[in-house]
Structure formats: structure tokens, C-alpha cells
């Protein structure tokens, strides 16, 4: 879903949409798991450095 679509859907339902800046893979897991458990919309923000950090943390 696009960001605009997600924000519009959340607004129609009266939900807040949280944005998290992710710094590592562990933080990504916690944020995604928590949002999934509570059925909450989520925007994940990152930087090129954090993407590299997450890739390095994932076992291949």
C-alpha cells in the first residue's frame, strides 16, 4: 500500500499512523511485531546506513 493510501485509510478509521526511524535489524523486528500484534498502521523510515546495518545482521 502506498503511504498516501495508508494515511487515508487510517484517517477514515480514526487511527494514528506512527513513523519509526529504524537503526538496526533488531529494532525493525520489534517495531513490526508490535504493529502487527496491535493491527496498527506503520511507516518505517530509514537511511542508507541503516539499510546496510540491517542487511549485515540478517543471516544468509
Amino acid at each position: 500500500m502506498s503511504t498516501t493510501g495508508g494515511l487515508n485509510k487510517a484517517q477514515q478509521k480514526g487511527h494514528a499512523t506512527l513513523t519509526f526511524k529504524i537503526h538496526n535489524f533488531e529494532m525493525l523486528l520489534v517495531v513490526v511485531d508490535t504493529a502487527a500484534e496491535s493491527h496498527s498502521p506503520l511507516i518505517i523510515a530509514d537511511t542508507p546506513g541503516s539499510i546496510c546495518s540491517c542487511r549485515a545482521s540478517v543471516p544468509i
Side-chain angles (χ1 to χ4, degrees):
M1 177 182 302
S2 70
T3 302
T4 302
L7 290 172
N8 287 338
K9 186 176 179 179
Q11 184 178 24
Q12 290 170 357
K13 292 185 174 190
H15 295 160
T17 301
L18 301 175
T19 301
F20 292 89
K21 185 172 180 191
I22 303 299
H23 297 285
N24 57 46
F25 187 67
E26 292 79 12
M27 187 175 179
L28 176 65
L29 290 177
V30 170
V31 168
V32 171
D33 284 347
T34 303
E37 286 176 9
S38 62
H39 303 285
S40 298
L42 174 65
I43 297 173
I44 298 172
D46 64 1
T47 63
S50 63
I51 292 171
C52 292
S53 173
C54 287
R55 285 187 184 156
S57 299
V58 178
I60 298 175

